[in-house]
Amino acid sequence: MIAPVPTKMGVFTANYSENGLCRLRFPQGKKMPIGTTLSKRQQSWHSKTQRTVQAILIGRVPRALPPLDFSNDTDFRRRVWEMLLTIPAGTVWTYGELAWSINQPRAARAVGGACGANPIPLFIPCHRVVGANGTLTGFSGGMKWKIFLLVAEGIELPLR
């Protein structure tokens, strides 16, 4: 089910399965996405999603996330995304550091691929991952969003 998340910065689009939030897209222009009817449980998740989006956009760490559904993804991607959740706001890791943290020290490129495939990049903070030399690498929401989120968390740019 799809539901809009309106903000001052545009309308995010949330997709829910029967198990939780499975995708959150950044605003795509001015067009309002067409919402669908959410179950009572999904409505509860959507309220939490809306509060979480608003908190992140003003640089606050959300108290709690709605249930996240990664059931259609690979074990490797899920491990990367779970580790991303442990990176504290206001800090950055490199792809290599993230690969080491999941005991896959030679998998920095694969970690980058998992970050690029992240279906909920606003909540699963792949914006906190940078290149080995501190360069700001790609972000599925676009580089403007990556910079915005890093600055909102108090990270001074450029990094090095």
Side-chain angles (χ1 to χ4, degrees):
M1 302 294 174
I2 300 171
V5 181
T7 72
K8 291 180 181 178
M9 301 184 73
V11 180
F12 289 78
T13 305
N15 293 66
Y16 299 95
S17 69
E18 291 303 315
N19 300 314
L21 179 67
C22 57
R23 179 167 299 282
L24 182 67
R25 290 185 179 91
F26 283 87
Q28 304 290 320
K30 306 252 182 215
K31 202 170 167 183
M32 181 81 148
I34 297 171
T36 53
T37 304
L38 300 176
S39 69
K40 196 167 199 117
R41 184 170 51 163
Q42 290 169 331
Q43 289 172 15
S44 171
W45 298 339
H46 190 60
S47 293
K48 190 175 278 189
T49 296
Q50 290 176 304
R51 287 190 303 274
T52 302
V53 167
Q54 297 296 343
I56 290 170
L57 293 180
I58 60 172
R60 292 199 180 134
V61 176
R63 290 186 218 179
L65 297 174
L68 306 177
D69 179 12
F70 299 134
S71 59
N72 291 328
D73 290 291
T74 67
D75 288 339
F76 179 81
R77 285 180 177 175
R78 283 194 298 267
R79 283 180 35 222
V80 170
W81 299 336
E82 288 167 7
M83 188 56 67
L84 285 168
L85 287 168
T86 70
I87 302 173
T91 54
V92 293
W93 287 11
T94 65
Y95 293 99
E97 289 170 327
L98 190 52
W100 273 95
S101 73
I102 61 166
N103 295 319
Q104 297 285 321
R106 296 180 183 207
R109 284 183 191 235
V111 163
C115 287
N118 178 355
I120 311 172
L122 188 64
F123 292 4
I124 310 300
C126 54
H127 63 276
R128 296 180 189 150
V129 183
V130 299
N133 61 359
T135 57
L136 298 183
T137 55
F139 181 63
S140 61
M143 195 54 66
K144 288 181 182 179
W145 276 106
K146 183 168 189 156
I147 292 167
F148 172 83
L149 293 168
L150 291 172
V151 171
E153 292 181 5
I155 295 173
E156 291 184 31
L157 301 175
L159 293 173
R160 298 180 196 215

